[in-house]
Amino acid sequence: MNKHFLSTSIALLLCLGACAQNQTPAQNQTAVKFSASINKANAYKHLSVLASDEYEGRETGKKGAWMAADYIKNYFKSIGLKGPVQGDYFQPIGMVTYQLNQPVFTIGGQAKVYNRDFVVPASNVSLEGFTFNTKEVIFAGYGLDTEGYNDYKNIDVAGKVIVIFASGNPSQQSEAAPADRAARRKAMTAKREKIQYLANHKALAVIQIDPSLDSLNEETKLMNAGSGQLTLKSEENTARMAKMKTFPTININTATANELLKAAGTTVEALQQKISSTGQPASQVIKIALSGSAKKEEVKVRAENVLGFLEGSDPVLKKEILVITGHYDHIGLTTSGTDKVNNGADDDGSGTTGVLLIADAFTKAKAAGKGSKRSILFMTVVGEEKGLLGSEWYSEHPVFPLEHTITNLNIDMIGRVDKEHEDKPDYIYIIGSDMLSSDLNAAGINANEQYMKMNLDMKYNNRTDPNQFYYRSDHYNFAKHGIPVIFYFNGVHEDYHQPGDEVSKIKFDLLARRAQLVYYTAWNLVNRPARPVVDKNEDGTPKK
């Protein structure tokens, strides 16, 4: 083929594609040149580290996440990005957890062992905590007040400690574990209603006999202690915690319950059989000394967003910022199975890797004198798996004014293929692109047409999607402030939030192509004359 004709044709095509974004053919050729480092080999180099077993699933507030943060910081520094947080790359997050502090439960003056004989549900403890002492308790069966059966008949529970079975009913001695989500939700609702009944009738506390505690694993112990329930430290959250309405609750295992019931000359099994055979309550006063106490304490958690800044070249436009994000945290370790590491290679090691690759491409362009006109903030955030906490913190404590932020491009899972696209894997889901800005939506589509020609699947690009993906990743904390966003996503797969989400299952050629799409979209956004126009309200209605 005639080389002159070929080069002329390519230039013409690039010009036609560039018109809508005011890009010259030379600018487009430059973009292609510096995209070369966004390749599968470099992707593997980063992801094989970030999603390794050594990083222990990168759970927020744990060693693996700190290791990932250090890796990203060192990489940002090595390629020449600046630390924009008073010269540093870390934006510390005011993150705390509330943990139980030395819960106590005694029977007849003898202290029981926490997380063996009893547990205290952390959600039922306020910051002030609770304490009670009593010389008698009321056993009230299954804690039910229903038509034809009432464990509380002729009983005034006010100011009393009540002992009930945590689950089950008068017609059967125990209930099987709920088999599905709906059944579990129904069972939890029933338990809450029983406790709420006692709270409404001003009982002092409740002791729940719970056979599921007869064998406690480490995961359950941590859950009971409140470990992992992270929240942002703020006046609003502190006030909310202070106003929480709780009711003193202690759950005991069967052996501990039998020790308590010995004072009445009975056992758990005997009482269940009596109620089941007669269909009548076996409520009674038991003379025995009990005491209990628990208090929550606030524990500071180390967590940080990692920021790398590339200043724009245009004296005027450089004050405007494009933010490119991916969350580097995952869900950490599990206590079950032989493989205990939730590596999070796709979720979101792949997105984090994409941010690193794109950052490298743009810094190489700047080093060659082809830097972007606008500035770019490359930010890997933490706490996404805990409720989008890292991006929420940034949106409330921005390093650069939000009014100068033109767009957020968020990358969350770009390394796998979902079942719907197994036959045609060259795709990416685009979410949020037209929610606030028709202009941004057009820019994203145009970048794809110019450079990649991938299938941009808009299936989830709406607010009524049952999966609610628009609200489930870090872009939303920008969108809620009126900043237009695009969320790049490959969809869920069978290893989602499972130990099987490993590096060996990543399609590195696809990861690189998807990262290139984000790069080209970013290239156009940071070099075009005008920022994307926000022409829609948060509810999708046109701005007037």
Side-chain angles (χ1 to χ4, degrees):
M1 183 177 289
N2 183 289
K3 291 183 179 179
H4 176 73
F5 175 78
L6 178 60
S7 61
T8 302
S9 299
I10 291 174
L12 178 60
L13 287 171
L14 287 172
C15 182
L16 290 172
C19 290
Q21 301 299 322
N22 298 289
Q23 298 285 300
T24 67
Q27 286 173 321
N28 282 274
Q29 290 171 341
T30 301
V32 172
K33 175 182 177 181
F34 290 104
S35 72
S37 63
I38 305 176
N39 58 53
K40 62 182 183 180
N42 286 335
Y44 179 82
K45 179 181 70 174
H46 293 303
L47 191 54
S48 62
V49 175
L50 292 168
S52 64
D53 284 356
E54 184 183 2
Y55 280 53
E56 297 181 349
R58 308 186 306 278
E59 184 173 3
T60 299
K62 302 290 181 66
K63 181 183 76 170
W66 304 334
M67 291 171 67
D70 286 336
Y71 178 91
I72 297 163
K73 172 183 175 177
N74 291 335
Y75 184 73
F76 280 169
K77 187 176 182 179
S78 73
I79 62 176
L81 293 177
K82 302 299 181 183
V85 188
Q86 297 179 336
D88 198 1
Y89 296 83
F90 284 169
Q91 180 190 35
I93 295 171
M95 192 176 292
V96 297
T97 186
Y98 296 95
Q99 296 182 343
L100 294 180
N101 183 14
Q102 297 181 326
V104 174
F105 180 58
T106 70
I107 299 177
Q110 297 297 310
K112 300 290 98 182
V113 178
Y114 179 63
N115 262 337
R116 187 192 73 184
D117 305 321
F118 76 101
V119 301
V120 179
S123 59
N124 286 54
V125 183
S126 66
L127 288 178
E128 292 77 16
F130 68 79
T131 184
F132 65 83
N133 289 278
T134 185
K135 294 183 179 180
E136 66 177 31
V137 300
I138 296 176
F139 172 74
Y142 293 94
L144 298 176
D145 180 3
T146 60
E147 185 177 352
Y149 181 90
N150 183 4
D151 283 310
Y152 298 115
K153 185 177 181 180
N154 300 322
I155 294 176
D156 181 6
V157 302
K160 305 293 177 60
V161 176
I162 310 301
V163 180
I164 61 174
F165 296 126
S167 60
N169 60 65
S171 64
Q172 61 186 59
Q173 293 185 24
S174 63
E175 285 184 340
D180 56 40
R181 183 177 297 180
R184 288 194 296 271
R185 188 182 299 116
K186 183 178 179 181
M188 289 299 298
T189 299
K191 288 182 179 181
R192 284 194 295 267
E193 288 175 349
K194 289 198 291 187
I195 293 176
Q196 190 60 50
Y197 175 93
L198 294 172
N200 292 343
H201 288 78
K202 303 186 185 306
L204 182 61
V206 62
I207 311 297
Q208 294 192 109
I209 302 170
D210 187 352
S212 72
L213 303 181
D214 293 349
S215 178
L216 282 170
N217 60 37
E218 291 302 315
E219 195 167 3
T220 304
K221 290 177 183 179
L222 290 172
M223 188 183 304
N224 288 327
S227 178
Q229 303 299 311
L230 303 180
T231 188
L232 296 180
K233 177 71 171 174
S234 67
E235 292 183 4
E236 180 182 352
N237 284 339
T238 301
R240 178 180 56 80
M241 286 291 296
K243 292 179 180 178
M244 278 181 59
K245 293 183 179 180
T246 60
F247 184 71
T249 303
I250 293 177
N251 295 350
I252 60 177
N253 63 17
T254 303
T256 305
N258 283 334
E259 185 177 343
L260 186 159
L261 295 171
K262 186 178 180 180
T266 188
T267 65
V268 169
E269 184 180 5
L271 287 170
Q272 289 175 329
Q273 289 179 345
K274 181 178 180 180
I275 297 171
S276 179
S277 62
T278 65
Q280 297 297 317
S283 303
Q284 57 188 288
V285 175
I286 301 176
K287 298 289 185 179
I288 189 166
L290 290 185
S291 69
S293 65
K295 188 176 182 180
K296 274 183 178 173
E297 63 177 353
E298 183 181 281
V299 179
K300 182 174 175 56
V301 176
R302 175 192 161 185
E304 52 266 321
N305 294 328
V306 190
L307 285 62
F309 182 66
L310 187 69
E311 186 176 36
S313 61
D314 186 279
V316 176
L317 294 180
K318 69 179 182 180
K319 76 173 184 179
E320 297 183 349
I321 314 291
L322 171 67
V323 180
I324 302 177
T325 55
H327 72 89
Y328 69 85
D329 65 306
H330 193 53
I331 62 174
L333 302 173
T334 182
T335 59
S336 60
T338 55
D339 184 357
K340 293 181 169 52
V341 181
N342 292 291
N343 300 86
D346 193 29
D347 185 15
D348 183 34
S350 64
T352 300
T353 295
V355 174
L356 302 187
L357 296 175
I358 297 165
D360 181 54
F362 273 103
T363 54
K364 280 183 167 63
K366 183 171 183 177
K370 304 295 182 179
S372 60
K373 295 179 180 179
R374 290 182 176 83
S375 299
I376 308 175
L377 177 63
F378 300 95
M379 180 166 64
T380 59
V381 297
V382 73
E384 191 270 358
E385 302 289 1
K386 305 297 185 181
L388 313 185
L389 298 182
S391 56
E392 180 181 351
W393 184 264
Y394 182 86
S395 73
E396 299 296 337
H397 305 83
V399 175
F400 300 97
L402 292 185
E403 59 266 27
H404 294 167
T405 301
I406 66 165
T407 293
N408 169 230
L409 303 180
N410 182 47
I411 317 171
D412 192 348
M413 300 173 61
I414 57 168
R416 297 279 293 267
V417 175
D418 68 3
K419 289 188 179 298
E420 293 188 27
H421 296 87
E422 288 177 347
D423 295 333
K424 295 182 178 181
D426 194 30
Y427 77 99
I428 189 71
Y429 289 109
I430 300 297
I431 301 172
S433 60
D434 63 351
M435 298 293 195
L436 297 172
S437 173
S438 302
D439 195 16
L440 176 61
N441 187 53
I445 293 172
N446 180 267
N448 182 57
E449 287 301 312
Q450 279 182 261
Y451 301 103
M452 304 303 299
K453 300 193 182 304
M454 299 177 70
N455 170 21
L456 302 186
D457 194 323
M458 303 288 184
K459 176 181 179 179
Y460 301 123
N461 188 35
N462 60 77
R463 294 178 177 83
T464 58
D465 162 36
N467 299 284
Q468 296 287 281
F469 286 132
Y470 175 60
Y471 304 95
R472 286 173 53 183
S473 192
D474 295 294
H475 59 279
Y476 183 67
N477 280 318
F478 290 88
K480 72 182 185 182
H481 287 282
I483 296 169
V485 301
I486 302 179
F487 169 27
Y488 300 87
F489 176 54
N490 58 215
V492 296
H493 42 72
E494 65 274 11
D495 297 311
Y496 178 69
H497 281 196
Q498 299 293 328
D501 184 7
E502 297 182 323
V503 174
S504 61
K505 297 179 181 178
I506 295 296
K507 309 295 185 184
F508 283 98
D509 53 342
L510 280 175
L511 191 163
R513 278 184 56 75
R514 291 159 174 169
Q516 284 179 345
L517 173 62
V518 182
Y519 161 80
Y520 286 126
T521 304
W523 184 278
N524 285 350
L525 290 171
V526 293
N527 289 306
R528 56 187 276 172
R531 62 192 288 173
V533 176
V534 178
D535 57 1
K536 297 181 183 180
N537 298 306
E538 169 54 25
D539 61 2
T541 58
K543 277 186 174 290
K544 296 181 179 179

